[in-house]
Amino acid sequence: MQHVTLNNGVQMPVLGFGVYQIPADKTEQAVSDALAVGYRLLDTAAAYGNEEAVGRAIKNSGIPRKELFVTTKLWVQDAPAQDNTRRAFETSLTRLGLDHVDLYLMHQPYGDVYGQWRAMESLSREGLTRAIGVANFYPDRLLDLIFNNEATPAVNQIETHPFFQRTADHGLMREHGVQHQAWGGFAEGRNDLFVHSVLSEIGEAHGKSVAQVVLRWLIQRHIVTIPKSVNPDRMAQNIDVFDFELTDEQMSAIAALDTGRTLFFDHHDPEMVAWLSKRRLDS
Ligand code: NAP
């Protein structure tokens, strides 16, 4: 597995396993299968409701903790968020059955963002998380956070796939030392991604599937990716992307698929902001 080095020196695998929308009663099996085929980065969140199942799979795998890279995420907290954030983090840690995580992400750019970030900086200083970062931050919010705080996020996890490529965001993140991580790398199959003619043709040229082409394209753009699957054959397929390389021409053909628009949530849409901001988790 290839790794990237985050802005604080921590090494992170370039490809991992995401567990969003895997029901809690299916997650332990899915994560056990993913670990068995070789994934070492696991991406969960308090909001996914499956941290306990992820933790059980980790425990039962017998894989040494230092070989794993575990990410979880803080849901939106009310102000003042300092204590709430610590409590939410401790709840996640308990559910995971771990004494630290590798990456703790602020899940949304809402709520008491500054209080949340400063509490996350404290958790990082105490070694309870090896790195801290954010998710769903557009450039304006990201720069504001960077310019007005001590720690620069190590990672920004954002929607990124062939139909929404985030080229400008990527350049800006590189400039500021923030690692770009893709969520929804397959666009969850929207726009008929898995049978798209351009992607299928490139796959045929390499004897690879569309899914493998997309993951390879992300990796060649220096983007960390976390495909989700509950199917062990697809899990194995999705990690088998290190034995081929897309040509410049193929990278350009995929670049031409960008629509510059989200297929999921527009974080600037007032209705979406209201919906995400009002949602509160039990703990
Ligand atoms: P995704 O990885 O783009 O797509 C997952 C879908 O693709 C599933 O329906 C899966 O079906 C299918 N699939 C996977 N491999 C395949 C293959 N080789 N061939 C055909 N179909 C395949 O979607 P995602 O889960 O939304 O995103 C990935 C991860 O990013 C999440 O799990 C989560 O960890 C993270 N995420 C973060 C945020 C955030 O706000 N920070 C938001 C969304 C997601 P099967 O399971 O049936 O194989």
Side-chain angles (χ1 to χ4, degrees):
M1 177 62 65
Q2 294 171 11
H3 288 73
V4 292
T5 303
L6 301 179
N7 62 16
N8 64 352
V10 166
Q11 297 264 304
M12 178 183 195
V14 296
L15 190 145
F17 184 68
V19 300
Y20 177 47
Q21 290 174 323
I22 306 183
D25 62 349
K26 301 263 189 308
T27 302
E28 184 177 346
Q29 186 61 53
V31 174
S32 299
D33 291 343
L35 292 172
V37 301
Y39 291 83
R40 291 296 178 265
L41 187 176
L42 302 172
D43 183 274
T44 184
Y48 300 170
N50 55 18
E51 288 172 311
E52 278 182 2
V54 170
R56 281 197 302 276
I58 290 173
K59 189 167 176 226
N60 294 338
S61 73
I63 296 170
R65 175 67 185 90
K66 63 179 186 321
E67 290 179 20
L68 297 172
F69 190 102
V70 181
T71 302
T72 194
K73 309 184 192 85
L74 170 74
W75 191 248
V76 180
Q77 300 295 318
D78 299 319
Q82 231 93 341
D83 290 346
N84 300 338
T85 297
R86 183 166 290 266
R87 211 169 14 248
F89 176 80
E90 283 167 359
T91 303
S92 285
L93 214 52
T94 303
R95 287 189 181 134
L96 286 161
L98 300 175
D99 62 3
H100 72 281
V101 295
D102 296 278
L103 178 62
Y104 197 43
L105 297 179
M106 192 188 307
H107 206 148
Q108 303 290 348
Y110 305 132
D112 180 9
V113 167
Y114 284 88
Q116 290 171 177
W117 188 248
R118 291 191 179 131
M120 290 168 70
E121 287 178 331
S122 298
L123 296 170
S124 164
R125 277 194 295 272
E126 290 166 44
L128 292 167
T129 177
R130 294 173 66 227
I132 51 174
V134 295
N136 299 304
F137 272 58
Y138 279 74
D140 53 342
R141 307 299 302 270
L142 183 66
L143 281 193
D144 179 62
L145 193 76
I146 291 172
F147 290 144
N148 294 293
N149 288 284
E150 203 174 300
T152 292
V155 168
N156 186 18
Q157 185 183 106
I158 53 176
E159 177 189 348
T160 312
H161 46 72
F163 310 120
F164 192 29
Q165 302 191 6
R166 317 301 293 265
T167 311
D169 304 51
H170 183 80
L172 188 114
M173 287 192 271
R174 270 181 93 84
E175 194 184 316
H176 289 276
V178 181
Q179 176 62 48
H180 183 169
Q181 182 172 32
W183 67 250
F186 299 144
E188 294 181 8
R190 292 182 189 194
N191 283 8
D192 286 335
L193 176 133
F194 292 115
V195 291
H196 191 283
S197 58
V198 170
L199 301 171
S200 301
E201 201 176 301
I202 295 172
E204 278 160 27
H206 291 281
K208 293 286 183 181
S209 68
V210 165
Q212 290 170 314
V213 168
V214 170
L215 295 171
R216 187 68 221 169
W217 166 76
L218 287 166
I219 291 167
Q220 285 184 214
R221 290 183 64 208
H222 308 286
I223 297 173
V224 173
T225 176
I226 41 173
K228 169 263 173 188
S229 179
V230 290
N231 175 318
D233 291 338
R234 288 174 175 173
M235 291 175 193
Q237 188 191 115
N238 294 348
I239 203 174
D240 179 21
V241 294
F242 296 97
D243 61 352
F244 74 112
E245 203 161 322
L246 301 178
T247 64
D248 290 346
E249 208 175 66
Q250 291 165 340
M251 293 295 286
S252 301
I254 300 174
L257 303 181
D258 194 10
T259 66
R261 283 176 184 281
T262 174
L263 289 184
F264 296 90
F265 315 100
D266 179 353
H267 283 78
H268 301 304
D269 172 359
E271 276 184 28
M272 189 53 66
V273 176
W275 184 74
L276 287 169
S277 298
K278 281 184 193 145
R279 183 173 174 214
R280 288 290 180 269
L281 302 184
D282 290 342
S283 59

